[in-house]
Amino acid sequence: MSPDVVIETIVAILLLIGTTLALLSAIGILRLPDVYTRSHAGTKSATLGVLCTLLGTFIFFAGMENFVSVRLILGILFVFLTAPVAGHLMCRAAYRSGVPMSNRSVQDELKDVILSDKEEQR
Amino acid sequence: MFQLAMIISLILLSVSILVGLYRVMKGPSMPDRVIALDAIGINLIAMVAVISVTFRTSAYLEVILLMGIIAFIGTVAFSKYIERGIIIESKRDN
């Protein structure tokens, strides 16, 4: 096997893994019952999927055309740092604005903490 | 064979973007829609990467970084609006 074929195989496998993870996260967004579980599906696996895809792209350009793209490394780092932060901010805003949990949730510990904080502020 | 794998990846990404669009239209609350839009933005980043591999051009690699930054800023602005009602707070004059 020539080196080009090896690189193409690695890149194809990485890209297929990444896009399959993106599809799994979309199915999670479609089927899970409330906003918190949906963000659990949408944040984690979509981030891992886009990381696999960008890593495959980086390996493709570094191996086939000898082009080490700094912008791609920066993009990988930036998406890896910011996607969980965005999910956390959105879940926090959803909880504070009173979006209800699903009927099947059994415990809500944050509610007591927020209530006692409000009583301390009075 | 390689082109076939790229086409399959593009189809999977398109299906996941369509599913996210369904959640944006139907989602019962506002944070549902924003989370689905964030996932759509991340899928679009992956789509630009796959297209640049398919065409063997490195001209689109800036777009990946820019779309990551813009999706993050948009989500932060939306979440601050949903939580507090304003995005940029005015200074307190005392």
Side-chain angles (χ1 to χ4, degrees):
Chain A
M1 283 169 81
S2 68
D4 278 5
V5 178
V6 176
I7 290 171
E8 277 191 347
T9 313
I10 293 173
V11 169
I13 289 173
L14 272 175
L15 259 60
L16 283 176
I17 288 174
T19 49
T20 313
L21 279 172
L23 185 65
L24 284 179
S25 106
I27 292 172
I29 287 177
L30 182 65
R31 295 206 39 160
L32 286 171
D34 62 351
V35 62
Y36 309 104
T37 46
R38 267 176 221 144
S39 108
H40 171 79
T43 316
K44 290 178 185 59
S45 51
T47 309
L48 189 60
V50 79
L51 282 184
C52 282
T53 314
L54 291 183
L55 188 67
T57 314
F58 178 75
I59 290 175
F60 182 80
F61 284 113
M64 304 290 276
E65 302 185 3
N66 287 324
F67 175 67
V68 177
S69 167
V70 183
R71 290 183 286 267
L72 214 43
I73 300 176
L74 277 179
I76 291 174
L77 275 178
F78 195 81
V79 172
F80 193 53
L81 283 180
T82 58
V85 179
H88 163 74
L89 283 174
M90 213 54 241
C91 272
R92 179 189 157 97
Y95 193 88
R96 300 238 166 181
S97 62
V99 178
M101 286 185 176
S102 122
N103 292 327
R104 277 180 284 170
S105 1
V106 289
Q107 202 170 6
D108 189 1
E109 289 185 344
L110 188 55
K111 197 176 183 181
D112 305 336
V113 178
I114 288 179
L115 279 181
S116 66
D117 273 0
K118 277 182 184 169
E119 283 180 2
E120 275 179 15
Q121 280 177 0
R122 275 176 200 164
Chain B
M1 205 59 201
F2 188 65
Q3 293 298 317
L4 182 68
M6 295 303 106
I7 290 170
I8 291 173
S9 323
L10 283 177
I11 289 172
L12 291 180
L13 283 174
S14 318
V15 169
S16 57
I17 287 176
L18 278 179
V19 169
L21 214 57
Y22 173 78
R23 183 49 74 190
V24 170
M25 284 190 286
K26 188 171 171 290
S29 68
M30 217 54 202
D32 279 310
R33 298 192 169 97
V34 181
I35 284 172
L37 275 177
D38 193 42
I40 286 178
I42 287 180
N43 284 336
L44 273 178
I45 295 172
M47 212 159 181
V48 172
V50 176
I51 283 176
S52 69
V53 169
T54 310
F55 292 157
R56 292 190 70 141
T57 170
S58 59
Y60 299 147
L61 298 183
E62 289 96 344
V63 180
I64 294 171
L65 189 51
L66 273 178
M67 281 173 61
I69 293 170
I70 288 175
F72 177 63
I73 291 174
T75 310
V76 169
F78 269 124
S79 72
K80 200 166 175 191
Y81 178 72
I82 288 173
E83 192 174 338
R84 302 200 180 160
I86 48 174
I87 296 175
I88 300 173
E89 292 171 32
S90 55
K91 271 186 190 168
R92 191 183 298 169
D93 46 356
N94 44 4

